[in-house]
């Protein structure tokens, strides 16, 4: 349910703009909706906020592969280790809508920001 996810993410980033979890989830939604360039911004922020977030690192690697930055992507894959993102290392299209498995719902976390598939970025982001 991408529209509902977008609404939840909009709320989360508005309520807690510094939340690495909210940043990561916005990045994942953008990656799922084929906005890899925008996903990189959010996933990078998530990693900067929480340098131990292997999930954000792995999916950041996928987003970087999608935009052709394989050298930097490999460094994030190395740091992240194995995970659902591993398929992106050899198949950049592996991270498409419905394939980002293993991501826990935002239960108990603030709802995320306006990353609707048609929008360029969630509210509050350039």
């Amino acid at each position: 349910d991408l529209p509902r996810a977008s609404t939840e993410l909009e709320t989360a980033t508005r309520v807690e703009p510094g939340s690495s979890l909210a940043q990561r989830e916005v990045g994942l939604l953008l990656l799922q909706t084929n906005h890899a360039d925008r996903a990189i911004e959010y996933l990078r922020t998530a990693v900067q906020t929480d340098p131990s977030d292997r999930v954000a690192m792995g999916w950041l690697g996928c987003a970087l592969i999608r935009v052709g930055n394989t050298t930097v992507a490999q460094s994030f894959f190395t740091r992240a280790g194995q995970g659902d993102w591993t398929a992106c290392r050899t198949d950049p299209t592996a991270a498409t809508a419905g394939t980002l498995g293993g991501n826990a719902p935002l239960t108990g976390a603030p709802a995320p920001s306006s990353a609707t598939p048609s929008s360029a970025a969630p509210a509050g982001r350039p």
Side-chain angles (χ1 to χ4, degrees):
D1 183 1
L2 292 175
R4 184 169 181 203
S6 290
T7 301
E8 294 294 317
L9 287 169
E10 179 178 351
T11 303
T13 56
R14 190 172 2 103
V15 172
E16 286 191 49
S19 166
S20 64
L21 176 60
Q23 295 295 317
R24 180 181 80 196
E25 295 300 317
V26 169
L28 292 175
L29 179 62
L30 289 166
L31 186 58
Q32 283 182 310
T33 57
N34 296 315
H35 297 288
D37 54 334
R38 299 298 305 199
I40 290 167
E41 297 173 35
Y42 288 91
L43 293 167
R44 189 176 311 252
T45 299
V47 171
Q48 290 170 343
T49 305
D50 181 2
S52 67
D53 188 344
R54 293 178 52 248
V55 174
M57 284 183 240
W59 290 115
L60 177 55
C62 289
L64 288 163
I65 288 277
R66 283 262 192 96
V67 299
N69 196 339
T70 57
T71 303
V72 176
Q74 293 308 318
S75 70
F76 282 103
F77 286 138
T78 299
R79 289 173 57 196
Q82 297 293 312
D84 292 332
W85 51 85
T86 303
C88 297
R89 293 181 102 160
T90 56
D91 180 8
T93 63
T96 57
T99 64
L100 299 182
N103 299 310
L106 292 174
T107 308
S113 91
S114 73
T116 59
S118 61
S119 73
R125 294 296 294 226

